[in-house]
Amino acid sequence: MTFINYASREINCKIVYYGPGLCGKTTNLQWIYEKTNPNAKGKLISLATETDRTLFFDFLPLELGTVRGFKTRFHLYTVPGQVFYDASRKLILKGVDGVIFVADSQVERMDANVEAIDNLIVNLKSQGYDLLNIPYILQLNKRDLPNVATVDEMRKALSRKTPPEPVIEACAARGTGVFETLKGVAKLVLADLTKTS
Amino acid sequence: MAAPDIVMYEEEFNQIKGIIAKLRVDANSKVVFLVDKNGQQIAAHGEIEHLDTTSLASLTAGNVAATDGLARLIGEKEFSILFHEGEKDNIHISIVASRVILVVIFDERSSLGLVRLRVKKASEELNRVFSNIMAKVEKERANVGTTFESPFAEITDEDIDSLFS
């Protein structure tokens, strides 16, 4: 749900990073946090366990600049990936404007990816959204590891949209593809606003 | 996409700012702010210069969402008031018009009783303002495609690219 404030001329959009446990959602946010101009970002908040696993969410507010006289802010959230935190994942999807699915490219994580995408579809539905209509990007993360599935195999297993969703290869720990993914989803969200009229 | 769910217009925004400014004085509190349930800050008033209001808004919404989940688990619709007590400062959180969150931060210069009393009164006024906003939004939604003019209808790829340059 985009929040548009005509009085202070601001648009706020909510982007959620979704994906199986340890796929690199928080790493995406950390990279963005480290590489963004200090004036453009707020604090990175991580509600994590003592072992740095996300417990509730990570949150990073970003101020991107001005579009048509409106200050544009993106609020980036991650969900906890571990299966048993499903209730929290549902809550975080509330009011989402765009979703990035971070898939773990390692062959042995393919089942976890599929399970997480199916879970995303169910949880979006419970908040009244349909994956087919929501701005959505599929990020194939950890492409630098040796035991990865091919891009074609991953598309086949994880693509859920027709026409197919944009797919971006990434290595979040080194920053490859991180900003491309964010920019991709931001474009889709803002393009979605143009359809409002 | 349908018309956005919350659109804030100048008239209602000024009314809201007036109500929370008055609440801050009446409740003798440090900060009053209003957040929507998705964590977007709507308005803030008081000693906010050294306060990270964006993070506060997001965490408040997360807090309310988690508490809502707890409420439903035990068969309640919602817990409409949350109160956190600290050594110096306290936070009073309440839900207004079923969709926005009113947060009051206060210290020993005020008391929980006073805050609750004043919040109740301000909530009634905010309820009225939000009903007006929702009525306006509904009206515009009914007119989507006919008269509703989105200021973003003409966003170009260059506009979006320039955000990332």
Side-chain angles (χ1 to χ4, degrees), chain B residues 79-145:
Chain B
F79 295 123
S80 52
I81 292 177
L82 314 179
F83 175 58
H84 300 298
E85 188 176 300
E87 268 180 26
K88 281 192 206 133
D89 290 335
N90 314 295
I91 298 188
H92 182 280
I93 299 173
S94 57
I95 297 167
V96 177
S98 312
R99 62 172 311 139
V100 290
I101 303 165
L102 177 63
V103 182
V104 180
I105 303 177
F106 64 97
D107 57 16
E108 74 283 349
R109 286 171 290 176
S110 184
S111 69
L112 179 57
L114 179 66
V115 170
R116 282 190 72 153
L117 184 73
R118 301 302 192 201
V119 160
K120 203 171 168 194
K121 187 154 181 295
S123 297
E124 287 165 11
E125 291 168 28
L126 287 170
N127 252 321
R128 272 196 295 278
V129 177
F130 277 95
S131 321
N132 285 346
I133 292 176
M134 293 326 286
K136 264 194 191 176
V137 171
E138 285 298 319
K139 207 168 144 199
E140 295 214 332
R141 186 169 294 162
N143 292 339
V144 164

Side-chain angles (χ1 to χ4, degrees), chain A residues 167-181:
Chain A
V167 174
I168 294 174
E169 293 183 60
C171 167
R174 294 182 195 164
T176 319
V178 170
F179 276 99
E180 287 85 338
T181 311

Side-chain angles (χ1 to χ4, degrees), chain A residues 9 11 66-72, chain B residues 151-156 159:
Chain A
R9 299 190 79 73
I11 328 171
T66 321
V67 174
R68 303 272 147 178
F70 277 76
K71 215 188 259 175
T72 311
Chain B
F152 313 107
E154 289 160 17
I155 288 180
T156 60
D159 285 335

Side-chain angles (χ1 to χ4, degrees), chain A residues 15-30:
Chain A
I15 309 292
V16 173
Y17 285 76
Y18 211 91
L22 295 175
C23 69
K25 302 174 286 294
T26 303
T27 311
N28 262 275
L29 244 63
Q30 282 167 341

Side-chain angles (χ1 to χ4, degrees), chain A residues 1 4 6-7 12 68 194, chain B residues 5 7-8 38 40 152 159:
Chain A
M1 188 186 75
I4 303 176
Y6 284 92
N12 292 327
R68 303 272 147 178
T194 66
Chain B
D5 289 353
V7 173
M8 185 63 67
N38 304 318
Q40 314 275 18
F152 313 107
D159 285 335

